[in-house]
Amino acid sequence: MSAAFALRAEWVKFTTLRSQWITPLLAVLLTTGITAAVQAAYGRVDTSLEDDPAGGIYYGLLFGHVAVVCSGILLIGQEYASGTVRASLAAVPRRGRFYAGKLLLGTGVGLVVGLLSVAGAHLATSATVGLDLGQPGAVRSIVAGVLYHPLLLVICLGATAMLRNLTAAMGLLTPAVFLGTTFLTAVPGVREAAYFLPDRAGLYAMNYRADPAVPYGHWTGLLVMALWAAAAAWGGLVSLRRHDA
């Protein structure tokens, strides 16, 4: 079977399974809606949102990216949970091609979610407290915000392929991104290492201003996250090739 067939098969699964397309849609709605609500309620009175403009613009992303995590997990974890991965591999026997179809679809979905989420967050901020895209770091923050979504989705897809279990992936990855890594950056002695976790590095890349506590620059943060995504994608492929469905 060709690579185009594998990608088309993944697209059919994505569009026909309700959870597959509702979850990324939820990511966009959470990011945009929570940003709009917080900026409208506190944007003019909470000085912490003004320390770095990205803090207010991407406030909703702190909740929306959990749905992005779930999207990456569901793309392959749902098949392991239902046992349909066997039928999928029977239709596309070459496991690398099967996995590539998932990675391509996941990257595309992540890019669309990133574009819509970042655009929605900026529009919500502009409509409530105003927005100056001429500030230093604004364009870089937008680029990082868009790319954060497909990178996070690929990381979760690859990790789920390694775990080969939907429940384990949901139980480990979702709380880790929502609370775990944030908690680790507040623990002395662990903080320095926690800055190199993928979501922390990606979120820092969106900041307008430098943080002296972070041991790298903004673009390096995005590179750190990209390296995690590449490692997760490779690990998922190795696991898929080594284990029976």
Side-chain angles (χ1 to χ4, degrees):
M1 297 295 179
S2 67
F5 175 86
L7 181 58
R8 186 164 59 250
E10 294 304 321
W11 175 251
V12 170
K13 286 182 242 179
F14 177 79
T15 54
T16 53
L17 290 170
R18 187 176 299 173
S19 60
Q20 296 274 22
W21 59 266
I22 284 182
T23 309
L25 176 62
L26 183 62
V28 176
L29 295 176
L30 283 171
T31 299
T32 303
I34 293 177
T35 293
V38 169
Q39 292 283 44
Y42 304 106
R44 296 187 183 279
V45 296
D46 187 347
T47 56
S48 68
L49 296 178
E50 300 173 3
D51 292 340
D52 191 308
I57 295 170
Y58 297 114
Y59 194 92
L61 180 61
L62 301 177
F63 302 87
H65 70 178
V66 178
V68 176
V69 170
C70 294
S71 294
I73 293 170
L74 288 172
L75 276 178
I76 192 166
Q78 211 165 42
E79 292 194 57
Y80 276 111
S82 63
T84 54
V85 66
R86 299 182 185 89
S88 296
L89 289 174
V92 187
R94 297 186 64 175
R95 297 192 176 199
R97 188 166 290 172
F98 164 76
Y99 188 60
K102 289 197 175 292
L103 287 175
L104 286 172
L105 178 67
T107 301
V109 170
L111 278 172
V112 172
V113 172
L115 286 167
L116 294 177
S117 295
V118 170
H122 279 77
L123 287 172
T125 302
S126 178
T128 50
V129 298
L131 188 64
D132 179 12
L133 293 179
Q135 295 185 69
V139 174
R140 187 243 316 131
S141 178
I142 291 173
V143 172
V146 171
L147 294 180
Y148 176 86
H149 293 77
L151 290 173
L152 182 62
L153 197 151
V154 167
I155 288 169
C156 295
L157 194 160
T160 306
M162 287 186 275
L163 291 168
R164 301 169 60 244
N165 186 294
L166 175 65
T167 304
M170 285 288 188
L172 289 172
L173 298 175
T174 305
V177 171
F178 187 53
L179 289 174
T181 57
T182 302
F183 173 76
L184 289 175
T185 56
V187 179
V190 181
R191 182 184 297 117
E192 291 74 15
Y195 285 130
F196 288 90
L197 293 173
D199 60 314
R200 291 293 99 196
L203 290 171
Y204 180 67
M206 299 179 214
N207 287 358
Y208 281 44
R209 296 166 188 156
D211 183 348
V214 180
Y216 48 74
H218 294 102
W219 285 117
T220 304
L222 196 63
L223 176 61
V224 167
M225 191 176 189
L227 291 173
W228 275 98
W234 176 253
L237 177 60
V238 171
S239 177
L240 188 65
R241 283 176 168 169
R242 286 184 177 177
H243 296 96
D244 291 334

mmCIF file of all heavy atoms in Angstrom, residues 52-77:
data_model
loop_
_atom_site.group_PDB
_atom_site.id
_atom_site.type_symbol
_atom_site.label_atom_id
_atom_site.label_comp_id
_atom_site.label_asym_id
_atom_site.label_seq_id
_atom_site.Cartn_x
_atom_site.Cartn_y
_atom_site.Cartn_z
ATOM 1 N N ASP A 52 4.769 40.065 31.108
ATOM 2 C CA ASP A 52 5.131 39.586 29.782
ATOM 3 C C ASP A 52 3.817 39.426 29.020
ATOM 4 O O ASP A 52 2.945 38.677 29.455
ATOM 5 C CB ASP A 52 5.860 38.247 29.868
ATOM 6 C CG ASP A 52 6.494 37.848 28.540
ATOM 7 O OD1 ASP A 52 5.766 37.858 27.515
ATOM 8 O OD2 ASP A 52 7.682 37.518 28.527
ATOM 9 N N PRO A 53 3.635 40.145 27.903
ATOM 10 C CA PRO A 53 2.360 40.077 27.194
ATOM 11 C C PRO A 53 1.908 38.664 26.863
ATOM 12 O O PRO A 53 0.699 38.392 26.798
ATOM 13 C CB PRO A 53 2.636 40.872 25.906
ATOM 14 C CG PRO A 53 3.725 41.821 26.285
ATOM 15 C CD PRO A 53 4.579 41.078 27.267
ATOM 16 N N ALA A 54 2.854 37.742 26.678
ATOM 17 C CA ALA A 54 2.496 36.361 26.357
ATOM 18 C C ALA A 54 1.710 35.710 27.482
ATOM 19 O O ALA A 54 0.905 34.806 27.247
ATOM 20 C CB ALA A 54 3.753 35.541 26.063
ATOM 21 N N GLY A 55 1.908 36.162 28.719
ATOM 22 C CA GLY A 55 1.189 35.587 29.849
ATOM 23 C C GLY A 55 -0.315 35.754 29.714
ATOM 24 O O GLY A 55 -1.083 34.835 30.030
ATOM 25 N N GLY A 56 -0.749 36.911 29.246
ATOM 26 C CA GLY A 56 -2.177 37.134 29.040
ATOM 27 C C GLY A 56 -2.683 36.542 27.740
ATOM 28 O O GLY A 56 -3.751 35.927 27.693
ATOM 29 N N ILE A 57 -1.887 36.698 26.674
ATOM 30 C CA ILE A 57 -2.320 36.211 25.364
ATOM 31 C C ILE A 57 -2.530 34.706 25.376
ATOM 32 O O ILE A 57 -3.512 34.196 24.822
ATOM 33 C CB ILE A 57 -1.280 36.596 24.286
ATOM 34 C CG1 ILE A 57 -1.215 38.114 24.120
ATOM 35 C CG2 ILE A 57 -1.625 35.938 22.949
ATOM 36 C CD1 ILE A 57 -0.052 38.588 23.270
ATOM 37 N N TYR A 58 -1.612 33.987 26.008
ATOM 38 C CA TYR A 58 -1.675 32.520 25.976
ATOM 39 C C TYR A 58 -2.186 31.918 27.283
ATOM 40 O O TYR A 58 -1.947 30.747 27.553
ATOM 41 C CB TYR A 58 -0.284 31.958 25.659
ATOM 42 C CG TYR A 58 0.233 32.357 24.302
ATOM 43 C CD1 TYR A 58 1.347 33.185 24.181
ATOM 44 C CD2 TYR A 58 -0.407 31.921 23.140
ATOM 45 C CE1 TYR A 58 1.823 33.559 22.932
ATOM 46 C CE2 TYR A 58 0.066 32.298 21.889
ATOM 47 C CZ TYR A 58 1.179 33.118 21.794
ATOM 48 O OH TYR A 58 1.641 33.491 20.554
ATOM 49 N N TYR A 59 -2.896 32.705 28.062
ATOM 50 C CA TYR A 59 -3.402 32.177 29.328
ATOM 51 C C TYR A 59 -4.290 30.949 29.087
ATOM 52 O O TYR A 59 -4.196 29.943 29.784
ATOM 53 C CB TYR A 59 -4.190 33.244 30.086
ATOM 54 C CG TYR A 59 -4.459 32.878 31.527
ATOM 55 C CD1 TYR A 59 -3.589 33.268 32.534
ATOM 56 C CD2 TYR A 59 -5.579 32.123 31.878
ATOM 57 C CE1 TYR A 59 -3.816 32.921 33.848
ATOM 58 C CE2 TYR A 59 -5.814 31.767 33.194
ATOM 59 C CZ TYR A 59 -4.927 32.171 34.180
ATOM 60 O OH TYR A 59 -5.156 31.817 35.479
ATOM 61 N N GLY A 60 -5.139 31.018 28.090
ATOM 62 C CA GLY A 60 -6.036 29.900 27.796
ATOM 63 C C GLY A 60 -5.320 28.667 27.296
ATOM 64 O O GLY A 60 -5.836 27.543 27.405
ATOM 65 N N LEU A 61 -4.099 28.853 26.778
ATOM 66 C CA LEU A 61 -3.329 27.711 26.288
ATOM 67 C C LEU A 61 -2.966 26.749 27.412
ATOM 68 O O LEU A 61 -2.812 25.548 27.183
ATOM 69 C CB LEU A 61 -2.056 28.209 25.591
ATOM 70 C CG LEU A 61 -1.104 27.157 25.013
ATOM 71 C CD1 LEU A 61 -1.809 26.325 23.949
ATOM 72 C CD2 LEU A 61 0.135 27.810 24.442
ATOM 73 N N LEU A 62 -2.859 27.261 28.633
ATOM 74 C CA LEU A 62 -2.536 26.410 29.768
ATOM 75 C C LEU A 62 -3.603 25.340 29.986
ATOM 76 O O LEU A 62 -3.347 24.311 30.600
ATOM 77 C CB LEU A 62 -2.392 27.267 31.035
ATOM 78 C CG LEU A 62 -1.306 28.351 30.969
ATOM 79 C CD1 LEU A 62 -1.314 29.177 32.237
ATOM 80 C CD2 LEU A 62 0.065 27.738 30.728
ATOM 81 N N PHE A 63 -4.803 25.599 29.487
ATOM 82 C CA PHE A 63 -5.887 24.625 29.550
ATOM 83 C C PHE A 63 -6.093 23.947 28.200
ATOM 84 O O PHE A 63 -6.328 22.743 28.120
ATOM 85 C CB PHE A 63 -7.192 25.317 29.989
ATOM 86 C CG PHE A 63 -7.072 26.004 31.312
ATOM 87 C CD1 PHE A 63 -6.605 27.303 31.407
ATOM 88 C CD2 PHE A 63 -7.417 25.339 32.475
ATOM 89 C CE1 PHE A 63 -6.480 27.938 32.641
ATOM 90 C CE2 PHE A 63 -7.297 25.956 33.717
ATOM 91 C CZ PHE A 63 -6.824 27.268 33.798
ATOM 92 N N GLY A 64 -5.980 24.718 27.130
ATOM 93 C CA GLY A 64 -6.194 24.162 25.795
ATOM 94 C C GLY A 64 -5.181 23.116 25.398
ATOM 95 O O GLY A 64 -5.505 22.164 24.670
ATOM 96 N N HIS A 65 -3.934 23.232 25.898
ATOM 97 C CA HIS A 65 -2.939 22.255 25.459
ATOM 98 C C HIS A 65 -3.171 20.870 26.064
ATOM 99 O O HIS A 65 -2.623 19.889 25.575
ATOM 100 C CB HIS A 65 -1.523 22.761 25.690
ATOM 101 C CG HIS A 65 -1.076 22.858 27.112
ATOM 102 N ND1 HIS A 65 0.189 23.257 27.448
ATOM 103 C CD2 HIS A 65 -1.704 22.624 28.290
ATOM 104 C CE1 HIS A 65 0.330 23.248 28.760
ATOM 105 N NE2 HIS A 65 -0.804 22.867 29.285
ATOM 106 N N VAL A 66 -4.000 20.785 27.095
ATOM 107 C CA VAL A 66 -4.360 19.466 27.618
ATOM 108 C C VAL A 66 -5.186 18.699 26.572
ATOM 109 O O VAL A 66 -5.025 17.489 26.396
ATOM 110 C CB VAL A 66 -5.140 19.591 28.937
ATOM 111 C CG1 VAL A 66 -5.566 18.216 29.452
ATOM 112 C CG2 VAL A 66 -4.283 20.290 29.991
ATOM 113 N N ALA A 67 -6.048 19.419 25.861
ATOM 114 C CA ALA A 67 -6.824 18.788 24.790
ATOM 115 C C ALA A 67 -5.919 18.386 23.629
ATOM 116 O O ALA A 67 -6.173 17.382 22.950
ATOM 117 C CB ALA A 67 -7.929 19.734 24.299
ATOM 118 N N VAL A 68 -4.848 19.149 23.397
ATOM 119 C CA VAL A 68 -3.873 18.777 22.365
ATOM 120 C C VAL A 68 -3.182 17.477 22.753
ATOM 121 O O VAL A 68 -2.961 16.586 21.923
ATOM 122 C CB VAL A 68 -2.836 19.906 22.161
ATOM 123 C CG1 VAL A 68 -1.763 19.477 21.158
ATOM 124 C CG2 VAL A 68 -3.516 21.177 21.688
ATOM 125 N N VAL A 69 -2.836 17.342 24.034
ATOM 126 C CA VAL A 69 -2.249 16.102 24.541
ATOM 127 C C VAL A 69 -3.181 14.929 24.274
ATOM 128 O O VAL A 69 -2.770 13.875 23.769
ATOM 129 C CB VAL A 69 -1.960 16.224 26.054
ATOM 130 C CG1 VAL A 69 -1.581 14.862 26.648
ATOM 131 C CG2 VAL A 69 -0.848 17.228 26.304
ATOM 132 N N CYS A 70 -4.450 15.116 24.603
ATOM 133 C CA CYS A 70 -5.442 14.047 24.394
ATOM 134 C C CYS A 70 -5.582 13.699 22.916
ATOM 135 O O CYS A 70 -5.760 12.524 22.566
ATOM 136 C CB CYS A 70 -6.792 14.456 24.968
ATOM 137 S SG CYS A 70 -6.790 14.627 26.769
ATOM 138 N N SER A 71 -5.465 14.694 22.044
ATOM 139 C CA SER A 71 -5.561 14.432 20.605
ATOM 140 C C SER A 71 -4.444 13.518 20.146
ATOM 141 O O SER A 71 -4.664 12.560 19.396
ATOM 142 C CB SER A 71 -5.490 15.753 19.820
ATOM 143 O OG SER A 71 -6.607 16.560 20.073
ATOM 144 N N GLY A 72 -3.221 13.804 20.590
ATOM 145 C CA GLY A 72 -2.097 12.964 20.217
ATOM 146 C C GLY A 72 -2.229 11.550 20.745
ATOM 147 O O GLY A 72 -1.907 10.578 20.055
ATOM 148 N N ILE A 73 -2.730 11.427 21.967
ATOM 149 C CA ILE A 73 -2.921 10.108 22.563
ATOM 150 C C ILE A 73 -3.980 9.319 21.806
ATOM 151 O O ILE A 73 -3.800 8.139 21.489
ATOM 152 C CB ILE A 73 -3.329 10.247 24.049
ATOM 153 C CG1 ILE A 73 -2.171 10.840 24.863
ATOM 154 C CG2 ILE A 73 -3.743 8.904 24.628
ATOM 155 C CD1 ILE A 73 -2.549 11.234 26.277
ATOM 156 N N LEU A 74 -5.097 9.968 21.478
ATOM 157 C CA LEU A 74 -6.213 9.273 20.831
ATOM 158 C C LEU A 74 -5.882 8.807 19.419
ATOM 159 O O LEU A 74 -6.442 7.801 18.960
ATOM 160 C CB LEU A 74 -7.444 10.183 20.800
ATOM 161 C CG LEU A 74 -8.138 10.428 22.139
ATOM 162 C CD1 LEU A 74 -9.212 11.509 21.994
ATOM 163 C CD2 LEU A 74 -8.759 9.142 22.676
ATOM 164 N N LEU A 75 -4.994 9.515 18.732
ATOM 165 C CA LEU A 75 -4.702 9.157 17.349
ATOM 166 C C LEU A 75 -4.228 7.715 17.195
ATOM 167 O O LEU A 75 -4.502 7.062 16.193
ATOM 168 C CB LEU A 75 -3.658 10.112 16.768
ATOM 169 C CG LEU A 75 -4.169 11.438 16.215
ATOM 170 C CD1 LEU A 75 -3.026 12.302 15.727
ATOM 171 C CD2 LEU A 75 -5.179 11.215 15.099
ATOM 172 N N ILE A 76 -3.513 7.212 18.198
ATOM 173 C CA ILE A 76 -3.070 5.821 18.119
ATOM 174 C C ILE A 76 -3.554 5.002 19.318
ATOM 175 O O ILE A 76 -3.799 3.799 19.200
ATOM 176 C CB ILE A 76 -1.528 5.739 18.001
ATOM 177 C CG1 ILE A 76 -1.095 4.320 17.630
ATOM 178 C CG2 ILE A 76 -0.841 6.217 19.270
ATOM 179 C CD1 ILE A 76 0.355 4.223 17.172
ATOM 180 N N GLY A 77 -3.737 5.653 20.455
ATOM 181 C CA GLY A 77 -4.143 4.928 21.654
ATOM 182 C C GLY A 77 -5.524 4.321 21.546
ATOM 183 O O GLY A 77 -5.790 3.242 22.110
#
